Amino acid sequence: MRIDPGKCVACANCVPVCPMGAIAVSPALNRAVVDADACVECFTCHRGMSKEHLNPTFVRAVRRVAKALRFRFDPEPDVCPTDALTPEDLSWPRIVRRAFSDPQVPHESTGIHGRGTAEVKTNDVTGRVAAGEAGFVIEFGRPGVGARFRDIERMTTALAGLGVAFEPMNPVTTLMKEEGRGTIREDILDEKVMSAIVEIKVPFARVTEVLACIREVSPRLDTVVVVGASTRCAPDGSEPLSALLEREGYPAYRGKTNLGLGRVTVPGAKVPTPTSAAR
């Protein structure tokens, strides 16, 4: 995303729209500019603002006259008056930013929009987390913060050292150079995204070990880390994961519960029992 300097009138309406704080008005240029390093190509500014097509020369002249007469002339706050926001064609590796940050773009690896994974929301169909297993989603970044793949790799390599199983239908997994080591392709390590999710699963006996690893690595990362844990419920709705998380100092509650209403895709397969997510 760039702002066409020939069209921009420095109204600054786009500045608060950017969820990453990547847009600012340059006093030297008297134009709004995009910090390319901070921009995650989420397209929020381009999609979220109405666009008029006023003549930039005319708008600047009116604003100069208004300034001389000491009154303000500003466009409506949700409008780019001259349609200065200009999407650029993205190439590799920068296009990775948009795949993880623009909720309207599906990931090529999974076909899912947003961060490219449905996690365990459809566990009744996919069976990602089996009985006796704990599934973890480790989420990196947030609007205003973001995350670089270099930080994500620090976590994935640490987890790989424990011998965990990474979810194959996950966009971060597909970008790994060596899944067994948790290393991510070098050409995207410096790319920044709004957020990304890593998915792993382990037997119940290894939950404590995984939590300790996440606790140890997280403070060294220049981003926000959020952990979700999930497990398969028994037919009576009970599950042992909540009590285990409580003992580890994580008060757990059922943030999401899949009611098991999905359709089984394999003929003759048994419908799994629901999955609850404790966060």
Side-chain angles (χ1 to χ4, degrees):
M1 187 63 60
R2 66 183 288 268
I3 297 173
D4 186 339
K7 292 182 177 181
C8 179
V9 296
C11 68
N13 283 356
C14 55
V15 172
V17 172
C18 177
M20 298 303 299
I23 302 177
V25 174
S26 167
L29 301 175
N30 196 30
R31 299 288 189 274
V33 293
V34 177
D35 181 341
D37 186 57
C39 174
V40 295
E41 305 293 356
C42 65
F43 276 50
T44 299
C45 57
H46 185 257
R47 227 181 10 253
M49 298 189 72
S50 300
K51 299 172 183 64
E52 296 177 352
H53 298 84
L54 301 178
N55 182 287
T57 302
F58 170 75
V59 176
R60 291 189 196 113
V62 172
R63 286 170 61 80
R64 281 196 298 270
V65 170
K67 183 178 180 181
L69 297 176
R70 296 189 178 277
F71 70 88
R72 293 176 64 96
F73 170 73
D74 290 324
E76 293 295 323
D78 59 346
V79 172
C80 178
T82 56
D83 193 19
L85 294 157
T86 308
E88 294 186 310
D89 291 333
L90 301 177
S91 58
W92 187 270
R94 191 168 183 90
I95 197 168
V96 173
R97 297 187 180 220
R98 190 176 184 197
F100 280 85
S101 306
D102 187 341
Q104 295 192 6
V105 174
H107 284 253
E108 291 186 6
S109 59
T110 63
I112 299 174
H113 293 70
R115 290 166 297 189
T117 174
E119 306 163 43
V120 292
K121 297 182 183 76
T122 56
N123 200 65
D124 53 331
V125 174
T126 62
R128 287 191 181 191
V129 178
E133 292 180 331
F136 287 94
V137 292
I138 301 106
E139 181 181 351
F140 303 84
R142 274 290 190 275
V145 179
R148 296 190 188 272
F149 281 98
R150 191 173 299 280
D151 276 325
I152 297 172
E153 185 188 56
R154 292 188 176 102
M155 182 68 76
T156 55
T157 53
L159 292 169
L162 302 180
V164 304
F166 292 98
E167 167 57 45
M169 285 298 291
N170 174 282
V172 176
T173 305
T174 65
L175 292 171
M176 288 184 179
K177 183 176 62 174
E178 293 183 60
E179 188 176 331
R181 297 177 58 195
T183 53
I184 296 174
R185 296 177 50 150
E186 290 95 339
D187 52 352
I188 68 167
L189 289 179
D190 287 325
E191 295 302 319
K192 186 175 185 178
V193 298
M194 191 174 296
S195 65
I197 289 178
V198 170
E199 296 174 81
I200 62 172
K201 61 181 181 179
V202 294
F204 284 142
R206 305 198 64 193
V207 167
T208 300
E209 187 180 6
V210 168
L211 291 173
C213 177
I214 296 171
R215 273 196 307 263
E216 195 274 328
V217 176
S218 295
R220 304 202 305 266
L221 308 183
D222 187 22
T223 187
V224 175
V225 178
V226 178
V227 180
S230 60
T231 187
R232 183 80 59 85
C233 293
D236 64 358
S238 63
E239 44 80 20
L241 183 59
S242 295
L244 181 54
L245 294 174
E246 292 272 4
R247 289 198 298 271
E248 289 298 311
Y250 298 98
Y253 63 94
R254 291 192 181 184
K256 298 173 184 175
T257 300
N258 186 329
L259 297 179
L261 301 177
R263 294 182 178 274
V264 178
T265 56
V266 181
K270 183 181 178 182
V271 179
T273 49
T275 296
S276 77
R279 288 183 178 267

